[in-house]
Amino acid sequence: VGSEMCIRDSISGVESVNSIFDKEVEVALSDRRLVIKGSGLNASKLNVEEGTLSIEGEEISSVNYYANSQKLSLKRLFK
């Protein structure tokens, strides 16, 4: 029997979800864009009133913030 790892995290300040794919989730925050890359990614819960998004996945390989055309990277944060 194999075991599967699942990562769960929550994001606050979400204004909209631009895209959700198996390998990438992109959301718009109030003053920037957030792109999460990994594998097996899935949005499990979106609360529009509170501006929160919960995501699950097998692995998160990078988290990038884009503000005013600048990229702020948090590589391998969840490794």
Side-chain angles (χ1 to χ4, degrees), residues 31-44:
D31 60 346
R32 61 189 71 191
R33 205 168 36 101
L34 175 66
V35 179
I36 300 166
K37 293 185 180 183
S39 61
L41 298 178
N42 182 38
S44 60

Side-chain angles (χ1 to χ4, degrees), residues 1-57:
V1 176
S3 63
E4 203 171 288
M5 187 172 147
C6 183
I7 296 172
R8 295 181 189 176
D9 203 356
S10 183
I11 304 164
S12 60
V14 175
E15 291 189 348
S16 66
V17 177
N18 298 342
S19 63
I20 301 173
F21 297 104
D22 181 53
K23 295 184 179 184
E24 182 178 289
V25 175
E26 181 180 325
V27 297
L29 305 176
S30 60
D31 60 346
R32 61 189 71 191
R33 205 168 36 101
L34 175 66
V35 179
I36 300 166
K37 293 185 180 183
S39 61
L41 298 178
N42 182 38
S44 60
K45 183 178 179 182
L46 171 64
N47 186 324
V48 179
E49 292 177 3
E50 293 181 9
T52 59
L53 173 67
S54 297
I55 60 168
E56 297 178 348

